[in-house]
Amino acid sequence: MATALVTGASAGLGEEFVWQLATAGHDVVLVARSGDRLSELADVIRSATGVGAEVLVADLSTEAGRAAVEARILDDAHPVSMVVNNAGFGLGEGFLQSTWEDERAVLDVMVTATLQLSHAAAKAMTARGHGAIVNISSIAAHLANSTYAAHKRWILDFTEALAGQLKGTGVSATVVVPGLVRTEFHDAESLEHMKTDYPDVAWLTPDVVVTAALAGVRRKQVVVTPSARYLAAAGLLRLVPKSLTRRGGSKL
């Protein structure tokens, strides 16, 4: 039975990935910082779907946390056939207001971890001749207004480059570029304003995003932008001068 490893699995898109993959018959490895929450979710997954659900508590902002997940991906005795690099968060304040420690943590979770775990997955999977790497970017990647946008842009560009290098190996790389999604991401006090700043029509649900993402993986699609409206928005944003998108900055 195939095994999928998902980071940021305790909530939001990560939890939805776990459910859809488990329902499809995949064993799952749940990665996040919250051990209690992961254990509770894993118990429900096992009971509801009958698949294996492994808990791996790791803080991806630390070297030790990333090393633990890397080691699990490289474990040939229990191979992982899909890695979903989903973990991420926003600070909710501008670059001039944030601390270096916070900025470094965001960078390590979204960029360093994605690079390190993708590297491990690519090595392990190409040796076996099959597998899939899924990285989560954002429509913010087409903006130029925050470090969050810069990190998400890096994920987009990196995954496209990775897909090119994996061609012919039997391993695919897919980057998912969702817009606003109704998850706990925006429950933080510093980001809660976004729930009312944007109309309901602008928001996607986790099931829609993950369904589109996994359909893209099956097709070995490199870039997946869930929903027609965000696909159109991405096309328009690519044409807008960066001098316009960076005006005013962002506190995401």
Side-chain angles (χ1 to χ4, degrees), residues 167-247:
K167 188 174 182 180
T169 66
V171 180
S172 63
T174 298
V175 60
V176 186
V177 190
L180 294 165
V181 186
R182 295 278 187 200
T183 69
E184 293 180 18
F185 180 91
H186 300 100
D187 286 351
E189 185 177 349
S190 57
L191 296 173
E192 199 169 13
H193 65 91
M194 295 181 68
K195 295 179 181 179
T196 54
D197 286 351
Y198 297 92
D200 287 344
V201 71
W203 294 86
L204 303 174
T205 57
D207 63 306
V208 167
V209 174
V210 174
T211 297
L214 294 179
V217 172
R218 289 191 293 271
R219 295 192 298 267
K220 298 189 183 299
Q221 188 174 340
V222 176
V223 180
V224 175
T225 305
S227 94
R229 60 182 178 273
Y230 276 111
L231 185 60
L236 289 173
L237 285 171
R238 281 193 290 267
L239 300 176
V240 174
K242 288 293 187 290
S243 60
L244 295 180
T245 64
R246 63 175 175 252
R247 286 182 183 175

Side-chain angles (χ1 to χ4, degrees), residues 53-68:
E54 178 183 340
V55 169
L56 177 49
V57 179
D59 183 349
L60 297 181
S61 70
T62 68
E63 288 188 20
R66 294 191 298 274

